[in-house]
Amino acid sequence: AAKASLGWTGTMVSSAPLTDEQYLGASGPSAEGTLGLCHFPDPEISQEPGLRTYRAAMEKYHPGRPVNRYTLYGYVFGRLMLDALVRAGRDLTRDGFVQALEATRNWQSGGIIPPVTFGPDNHQAQRAALPSRLENGRFVHSGGWSE
C-alpha cells in the first residue's frame, strides 16, 4: 500500500550512507527502482555552487578519484568544522570550539546540505533528506529537502 501511494515500485528502501549509486551499482539492475532518502545532491551532476567547488577540490587534491556521497560527506562536514575552528580563534580550547559550534547560525554549504544552525540544545547538523528513486543507475530526486 505504501508503494502504491508513492506511485513507485521500488524493490528496496535505502537511507544514507547506503543511498549512493556506487554502492548500489554492485547490485546491477536489481537495484533499479530503489527508494532512498539522499542526504546530498548527486555529486557527479549537481550544479549547486558547493558541489562545483567540491568537484574542483577532488580534482586538485585527488585527481582521478571518483566523486561520491561518502567523500562529499567528509568534505561538507569538514568545512563546517573548519568554520567553527576559525571562529573559535587561535587560543583553541574544547569549550571555545563547542561555543563556536553552538553559535553557528544559518551556515551555508552552497547547496550541499540545507543551512545549518546549532545551539546549546541543537547539535544536529542535518535534519532533511531528498526523497529519491534509482533510475538508470542514478538517484532522481522527487522534490526538495524533506524533514
Side-chain angles (χ1 to χ4, degrees):
K3 286 194 278 187
S5 67
L6 291 172
W8 293 339
T9 58
T11 58
M12 293 191 289
V13 175
S14 176
S15 183
L18 303 177
T19 308
D20 182 87
E21 289 87 350
Q22 291 176 13
Y23 169 79
L24 290 170
S27 302
S30 64
E32 192 69 12
T34 296
L35 302 178
L37 292 172
C38 293
H39 288 191
F40 310 103
D42 190 317
E44 290 185 27
I45 63 174
S46 174
Q47 292 304 305
E48 294 288 345
L51 272 291
R52 290 194 308 266
T53 304
Y54 155 75
R55 287 191 296 267
M58 284 295 289
E59 184 58 35
K60 180 177 180 178
Y61 297 108
H62 303 286
R65 299 284 307 250
V67 297
N68 59 44
R69 287 181 171 87
Y70 296 105
T71 57
L72 182 57
Y73 173 90
Y75 172 80
V76 72
F77 287 107
R79 287 193 51 222
L80 177 60
M81 294 300 108
L82 178 60
D83 177 74
L85 286 167
V86 168
R87 287 185 291 108
R90 292 178 96 35
D91 297 323
L92 183 63
T93 64
R94 180 186 184 282
D95 287 340
F97 178 62
V98 169
Q99 287 175 359
L101 274 173
E102 290 179 345
T104 300
R105 300 289 180 270
N106 201 35
W107 182 82
Q108 300 292 318
S109 67
I112 298 173
I113 59 175
V116 175
T117 295
F118 289 131
D121 296 323
N122 176 17
H123 295 163
Q124 187 172 350
Q126 189 172 3
R127 298 175 184 271
L130 299 162
S132 307
R133 182 176 188 265
L134 194 66
E135 296 178 8
N136 298 315
R138 307 281 342 148
F139 274 105
V140 176
H141 308 308
S142 64
W145 295 106
S146 179
E147 286 195 26

